């Protein structure tokens, strides 16, 4: 599955939208008292601290045009392919993988939507 070529500006816009989407979902969960996840963003790095102290780290990688996800069960790399961020190893969609890892680490079903 070859990555869709992006200009630097397109990559920046698409990754900024992904990070904003995640931040918005976490804010909604806090407002609705679903789960208490602390979040901290510095540029292209978003750190989510789950209850119990484990972390999920989402990091943009502009030189590679990837998004990386670090979780307790491993590290995952995603490339933009035909409108979706897909895992470079198994092809799983980014938000599906993030949802699975967040659910595992937070101990309750959580779903991030693209």
């Amino acid at each position: 599955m070859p990555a869709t070529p992006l200009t630097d500006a397109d990559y920046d816009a698409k990754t900024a939208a992904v990070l904003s989407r995640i931040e918005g979902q976490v804010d909604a969960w806090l407002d609705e008292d679903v789960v208490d996840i602390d979040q901290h963003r510095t540029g292209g790095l978003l750190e989510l601290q789950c209850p119990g102290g484990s972390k999920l780290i989402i990091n943009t990688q502009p030189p590679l045009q990837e998004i990386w996800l670090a979780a307790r069960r491993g590290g995952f790399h995603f490339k933009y392919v035909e409108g979706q961020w897909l895992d470079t190893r198994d092809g799983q969609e980014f938000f599906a993988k993030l949802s699975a890892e967040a659910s595992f680490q937070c101990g309750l079903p959580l779903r991030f939507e693209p």
Side-chain angles (χ1 to χ4, degrees):
M1 82 183 129
T4 302
L6 299 172
T7 66
D8 290 346
D10 285 343
Y11 171 82
D12 291 343
K14 289 182 185 320
T15 55
V18 166
L19 297 179
S20 293
R21 182 80 183 126
I22 295 165
E23 289 172 314
Q25 183 61 68
V26 170
D27 286 342
W29 288 334
L30 287 170
D31 290 345
E32 298 162 10
D33 203 25
V34 172
V35 63
D36 185 14
I37 297 176
D38 291 328
Q39 59 182 334
H40 179 73
R41 183 169 169 184
T42 306
L45 184 138
L46 177 60
E47 187 175 288
L48 307 176
Q49 184 168 338
C50 300
S54 70
K55 293 182 181 179
L56 294 158
I57 300 169
I58 300 98
N59 193 11
T60 61
Q61 295 293 320
L64 302 172
Q65 290 200 341
E66 293 183 351
I67 295 176
W68 290 2
L69 169 63
R72 202 159 57 189
R73 296 192 289 194
F76 309 94
H77 298 185
F78 300 83
K79 284 207 173 274
Y80 192 76
V81 180
E82 297 179 6
Q84 301 182 86
W85 292 97
L86 302 179
D87 189 306
T88 58
R89 285 182 291 192
D90 66 11
Q92 187 172 19
E93 192 274 330
F94 172 78
F95 285 99
K97 178 70 83 177
L98 178 60
S99 297
E101 297 305 316
S103 297
F104 174 75
Q105 289 184 219
C106 293
L108 70 155
L110 298 171
R111 182 166 169 82
F112 287 91
E113 298 286 342

